[in-house]
Amino acid sequence: MAQEITSNAAGGAPPAPRRKIFRIKSPAWFTLAGALAVVAAVPVLVILSYLLTPNHEIWSHLAENVLGTLAVNTVLLLACIIPLTTISGVGLGWLTGACDFPGRKFFAWALVLPFAIPPYVFAFVYLGIFDFTGPVQTFIRSIFPSIGFIDIRNFGGVSVILSLAFYPYVYLMSRSAFMTQGRTAIEAARTLGHSPAKAFFKVALPMARPFIAAGLVLVCMESLADFGAVSIFNYDTFTNAIYKAWFGMFSLESAAQLSSLLAIIILTALVAEQKMRSKMRYTEAGRSNKAERLKLSGPWKWLAFSSCALVFILAFALPCIKLMQWGFEAVETDLARYFEYSLNTLLLGLAGATITTVAALALSFAKRNDPGSLMNWSTRIATLGYALPGTVLAVGIFIPAAWLDSNIASLLKPVGIDTSNMIQGSLGLMIAAYGIRFLAAGFGAVDSAIQRITPSIGEAARTMGATGISMLRRIYIPMLRKGLLTGAILVLVDVMKEMPITLMMRPFGWDTLAVKIFEYTSEGEWELAAIPAVVLILVGLFPVMLLTRQMDK
């Protein structure tokens, strides 16, 4: 204290107040955010608890018969996907972000369109094209009759499929990096005698490394979480094994044990992704030279055009053309049932989007009113579900729901009330699972919009007597309409395309478009699966258009 008084008396500036890490400014909003965090944390803790209380018989069986195959298959899968997505994503990101060639403006947004196609749709389309009775192998046998069956149901085939589905993650991140670098660094390298290719590898690529690494971490997480594509290719991974353990062997405990391992792997990848993201810097180098692109000439510009066109055809145009062909062949079937599946899908999507967007708005407004470290941690935990595969989340939610059902039934049985399966297998529980899974998507859109509202607006509203819910309803919601709509559309499409949660938790007889695609493809009925697939792709184009619009800005 004496030292502080002496410093002030000498004219020195008073020391900055220490940041209160555990302060709570708005208890009501913190309680709401904490409740959302608890709900999201329950399935994670349930899954991780199986690591602390292992069943030695199950673990020994898994170790002898399952884990080795799953580990090898997973390593092979990632070993193929990582280089494929790196080469395609970084290469296309450099061409559209830093170069100029014919068709660049078109490919800049068109190469994002594969985001609209679910991976399981990629899987059955290319399986139908390259299967034994497909056009490719039929054509090969017509020329070379001695060639037998070429099986693409292996790690190579599924790796190519998932690479076509997930390369946009790396493409978007690397393109953003190359666009924000400007031309100053490249020009400096050129003045030192480096060729354009050497300047790319020596300067541009190292500067974009954190962005590329973060995109690859997302690719790895999505690859580990994929269920539909690996199931269609009958390629055993953790997600596929979890489903088989639950619905094939009817062993929920085995599914939980496998889920605990996958959860650890995914959470480790999430921590790595957050660490990579923390190293990113969005400062532009040479802003005044940003518009100057490397103009490709001669054969190089046509090579760039051909590379972009090839990826666009393989990742979007060809699957869409094949689906429309199959759809026309199956149009004579009973379309009334497709209307029922579409209606079920839309109802689930609207319910999930409404609940998730409301929760995202409440969480974002709570963070706005109490921007402390505790609130930041509550927000991170509440949005953790997006990092978990649908199969893991379904197991983690179903176990406590079954426990609650059992206890409620035992309490009400003496009075003659039957409450069996009141919670598990209900639409409410499935919609809650959607909310936990996709809260991060809705929160990202809403929170980005709320950050654009200056704090002075809230302070002015308080001076006029608006507080809490009144301020949210009268001030923030009208100003957040665009962000709320964006978040709702993103969640709506994610829910409509979600396969594992719907497949594992839906009530009996409640079928959706994604479920029917899984059932039809399991039976090899590509034509019947095409119609619901086309509907899902058309719906998926909405968030992709929003994404490309934001990317252009």
Side-chain angles (χ1 to χ4, degrees):
M1 177 67 71
Q3 184 178 1
E4 181 180 341
I5 294 174
T6 303
S7 176
N8 292 337
R18 292 183 179 180
R19 183 183 179 186
K20 295 181 180 180
I21 299 178
F22 298 104
R23 69 178 176 84
I24 299 176
K25 184 178 178 182
S26 304
W29 291 108
F30 175 76
T31 302
L32 175 61
L36 292 174
V38 169
V39 171
V42 166
V44 181
L45 295 177
V46 169
I47 290 299
L48 295 180
S49 67
Y50 279 83
L51 289 176
L52 303 177
T53 57
N55 186 316
H56 296 289
E57 293 183 0
I58 292 179
W59 277 114
S60 60
H61 171 75
L62 294 176
E64 292 177 4
N65 303 286
V66 176
L67 291 183
T69 301
L70 297 181
V72 172
N73 288 351
T74 302
V75 170
L76 290 175
L77 193 65
L78 294 179
C80 289
I81 292 176
I82 290 175
L84 288 175
T85 53
T86 301
I87 294 172
S88 58
V90 175
L92 297 174
W94 169 256
L95 291 176
T96 59
C99 301
D100 192 15
F101 60 94
R104 178 192 60 82
K105 292 183 179 180
F106 169 77
F107 290 120
W109 63 267
L111 292 172
V112 190
L113 294 180
F115 263 138
I117 306 179
Y120 52 84
V121 174
F122 272 113
F124 86 80
V125 167
Y126 275 100
L127 193 60
I129 294 175
F130 289 94
D131 208 1
F132 180 77
T133 58
V136 174
Q137 292 207 45
T138 302
F139 175 75
I140 293 175
R141 287 196 304 271
S142 65
I143 300 176
F144 306 101
S146 59
I147 295 181
F149 174 57
I150 303 174
D151 190 12
I152 66 168
R153 297 175 187 252
N154 49 45
F155 75 92
V158 73
S159 297
V160 173
I161 295 302
L162 292 181
S163 298
L164 291 174
F166 297 144
Y167 85 85
Y169 288 107
V170 182
Y171 166 70
L172 286 174
M173 299 295 284
S174 59
R175 183 173 186 265
S176 176
F178 295 134
M179 288 180 67
T180 55
Q181 286 176 3
R183 298 296 306 154
T184 302
I186 299 296
E187 290 174 357
R190 294 296 305 276
T191 59
L192 294 175
H194 292 304
S195 64
K198 196 170 184 180
F200 168 76
F201 287 105
K202 291 289 186 179
V203 178
L205 192 59
M207 291 173 63
R209 191 176 300 161
F211 291 80
I212 298 170
L216 287 175
V217 171
L218 293 175
V219 169
C220 292
M221 291 172 59
E222 291 292 338
S223 301
L224 292 172
D226 178 73
F227 168 75
V230 294
S231 298
I232 292 173
F233 271 71
N234 199 24
Y235 186 79
D236 289 330
T237 60
F238 279 96
T239 53
N240 198 16
I242 291 169
Y243 178 81
K244 289 181 179 179
W246 187 354
F247 291 92
M249 299 185 298
F250 302 101
S251 176
L252 184 59
E253 190 172 1
S254 298
Q257 303 283 5
L258 289 171
S259 298
S260 63
L261 282 179
L262 184 56
I264 290 293
I265 297 173
I266 293 291
L267 292 177
T268 303
L270 178 63
V271 172
E273 191 270 340
Q274 292 291 338
K275 191 173 182 179
M276 292 293 179
R277 190 180 296 273
S278 65
K279 295 180 180 180
M280 290 184 182
R281 297 295 181 268
Y282 294 91
T283 304
E284 297 182 4
R287 184 180 179 90
S288 60
N289 295 328
K290 180 181 176 182
E292 297 181 9
R293 295 177 175 273
L294 178 63
K295 292 187 177 181
L296 303 180
S297 59
W300 294 108
K301 65 180 181 182
W302 299 116
L303 180 62
F305 175 85
S306 301
S307 301
C308 294
L310 178 63
V311 175
F312 173 72
I313 291 172
L314 294 177
F316 186 77
L318 181 59
C320 291
I321 293 173
K322 192 61 180 176
L323 285 173
M324 287 188 289
Q325 177 191 344
W326 282 336
F328 283 122
E329 293 176 359
V331 75
E332 296 180 359
T333 60
D334 184 14
L335 295 180
R337 53 181 178 178
Y338 289 104
F339 177 79
E340 179 184 354
Y341 306 147
S342 301
L343 181 61
N344 291 345
T345 304
L346 182 61
L347 290 176
L348 287 178
L350 291 175
T354 301
I355 293 176
T356 306
T357 306
V358 170
L361 175 62
L363 186 63
S364 181
F365 191 69
K367 181 184 175 184
R368 175 84 167 193
N369 281 271
D370 191 0
S373 296
L374 278 176
M375 182 63 74
N376 289 335
W377 277 106
S378 298
T379 302
R380 290 183 181 182
I381 296 173
T383 56
L384 184 63
Y386 197 71
L388 296 178
T391 51
V392 174
L393 197 60
V395 174
I397 293 175
F398 189 86
I399 291 175
W403 179 83
L404 282 175
D405 266 343
S406 177
N407 284 272
I408 293 174
S410 62
L411 289 175
L412 298 180
K413 187 176 181 180
V415 296
I417 300 177
D418 184 13
T419 60
S420 57
N421 297 331
M422 182 179 66
I423 300 176
Q424 54 181 324
S426 64
L427 283 176
L429 185 65
M430 185 167 61
I431 294 173
Y434 291 145
I436 297 174
R437 178 80 168 87
F438 301 118
L439 179 60
F443 175 78
V446 176
D447 194 57
S448 298
I450 207 172
Q451 294 301 324
R452 298 189 181 99
I453 301 177
T454 58
S456 59
I457 294 179
E459 294 171 0
R462 289 189 184 93
T463 61
M464 301 179 67
T467 58
I469 298 297
S470 176
M471 183 188 298
L472 179 64
R473 178 176 58 84
R474 298 171 60 184
I475 306 298
Y476 280 89
I477 290 181
M479 300 181 68
L480 292 173
R481 287 177 181 173
K482 185 176 179 181
L484 291 172
L485 180 61
T486 301
I489 291 176
L490 290 173
V491 176
L492 170 67
V493 176
D494 280 337
V495 171
M496 293 180 69
K497 294 193 298 183
E498 173 64 24
M499 176 183 287
I501 290 179
T502 310
L503 192 64
M504 300 171 75
M505 299 187 64
R506 75 190 193 280
F508 179 77
W510 189 276
D511 293 331
T512 64
L513 294 173
V515 171
K516 297 312 295 184
I517 290 175
F518 178 81
E519 293 179 354
Y520 289 143
T521 54
S522 299
E523 300 171 359
E525 298 287 349
W526 317 123
E527 294 83 1
L528 296 179
I531 296 179
V534 170
V535 175
L536 285 180
I537 292 175
L538 292 176
V539 173
L541 287 176
F542 283 102
V544 172
M545 291 177 182
L546 291 174
L547 182 63
T548 53
R549 186 177 180 183
Q550 293 297 324
M551 183 179 65
D552 290 339
K553 291 182 180 180

